[in-house]
Amino acid sequence: MMEKPTAIVIGAGIGGIAAAAHLARQGLHVTVIEKNSQPGGRCDRFARDGHVFDAGPTLFIMPHVYQAEFAALGASMHEMLELQRVDPSYHLVFDDSSQLALTSDMKSMCEQLESIQPGSFQGYLRYMEEGDRHYHLAMERLVNRNFRTASEFFNFRNLSLLTSLKPLVGHYRNMSAYFQSPRLKAAFTFQDVYMGLSPFEAPATFSMMPFTELAHGVWYPRGGMYQVVQALVELARQAGVEFVFDAEVERIEVNGTRVHGVALADGRRLKADVLVANADLPYVYRHLLPQDAIAERLYRKRYSCSVISFFWGVDKIYAELGAHTLFLADDYRANFESIIEKLSLPENPSLYVHAPARLDASMAPQGKDTLIAIVPVGHLDENGQQDWRELRDRARGHVFRRLAALGIADLESHLLFEVTYNPLSWRKRYNLVKGSTHGLCHNLTQLGYFRPANRHGRYHNLYFVGASTHPGTGVPTALISARLAAERILAEN
Ligand SMILES: Cc1cc2nc3c(=O)[nH]c(=O)nc-3n(C[C@H](O)[C@H](O)[C@H](O)COP(=O)(O)OP(=O)(O)OC[C@H]3O[C@@H](n4cnc5c(N)ncnc54)[C@H](O)[C@@H]3O)c2cc1C
């Protein structure tokens, strides 16, 4: 009997688990090697004294993508995840404590928008139309497909995208066609930070993000985002995937134009016909492969920002706090300059607070609350000059100050414990280059055909999945990345 081809996947992040499941379903013998003691990568979870924390993603967006990708794995998303729509998706809070609740309720949106800027509801409807067009075109033509050759990207058909997707028009500048109020321009562009970009440099194409959040909704799987990881692991195991945890790959073993296995930090050496690297792509080039000029070139590329996260167990319930609260600073441009150019913390940072127990009471013990605050900051600089303790303390002060303006003035005295992550933690825990939480950013020169491809240029049986390869960051995108890489592996091996 012919032996099954073997594959090793380095890393049990979303992309790694899903790629492993695809390959095993097609008959490969797949082993996933993960340095941490549990799967999930950035989509991580920890619990303390009955408080449950999603350590990375908290927003389940693009539900159609999840649905399609679960179906591609032979499963029903709705059978595996108990989803509820979060509506309003976010409560936006401005510097003067005035609020805007982003909701699918059009009457409420109309009233709220008109009170901020008369006439803006019409602008909102037109902006959503543009976002709808961008979303569908970008998903079909740029995201949901591989680009193996330049001609697959640069062709006559794609030429029309230069006008229809507005890649050469700045996102923020484009907002003037829809809104005059700087607060409304901010309310519908802040999602660019998920792409690692400032709206002042992001292409107007990214109106697809607020569109999908508002039109398709922000959802919450009962039990938190980690349920997605558990569902994927279940599917992978059913397909026969083996997982090895607490095992760090130290080196990829190469021979000519092929890789033939991995060496682990504990001295073990494992062989495979195909390798799939889910660890952050620039890290793989820099630390796991023989050094070459590409590793250095990748290191010099643009990276997304990082975040300081606070995980708090609290001895009372702050029922007045919605599930997702976003404090948006009026000095919006200065915020991005400080994070992206100065690699620092803004004077008055925009920040996000998540209260998961508003959506699922089991995320906190009875009578208590579980809170997560995320403050975007610059990624690690090269000379290590950032003082993360000082930045952490300043960031914490800003969260307390912002919450106090909402009437939550006593949080500090009700904290039972605090866990914090900063860019050094992100780098250490998941081997993310520069501690950048979203990997390589998504500016025009790092998108589509320009993004590092999902196969190595020299080693023809080494493939990549995850945030820093095509198509890019985010849990749903990692699922697409896994399917695209698996399709390519199966076609080429
Ligand atoms: C704070 C934060 C908030 C986010 N919010 C959202 C959100 O709300 N919604 C959303 O959709 N997305 C969000 N994201 C993005 C999303 O989490 C990621 O894009 C996605 O999870 C990345 O998955 P990945 O496949 O790239 O794998 P990764 O998560 O990068 O996993 C790679 C795995 O490889 C392992 N590894 C690394 N090196 C080695 C080695 N040498 N040997 C063995 N194993 C190794 C790592 O430990 C890790 O488990 C957020 C991310 C962060 C950090």
Side-chain angles (χ1 to χ4, degrees), residues 1 40 68 72-73 89 104 112 128 133 154 157 210 213 229 241 246 349 410 443 449 459 462 467 488:
M1 211 167 72
L73 288 168
S89 51
S104 63
Q112 295 184 83
M128 284 295 108
R133 195 167 58 248
F154 300 102
R157 189 161 176 257
E213 287 190 346
V229 174
V241 173
D246 298 308
D410 60 351
N443 57 341
Y449 180 67
Y459 307 116
L462 171 58
R488 190 165 182 179

Side-chain angles (χ1 to χ4, degrees), residues 470-482:
H470 176 70
T473 187
V475 175
T477 327
L479 292 172
I480 296 176
S481 151

Side-chain angles (χ1 to χ4, degrees), residues 90-108:
Y90 303 84
H91 287 93
L92 303 184
V93 184
F94 300 104
D95 282 353
D96 58 3
S97 298
S98 64
Q99 296 195 25
L100 168 60
L102 297 183
T103 168
S104 63
D105 176 343
M106 285 299 189
K107 187 164 169 284
S108 164

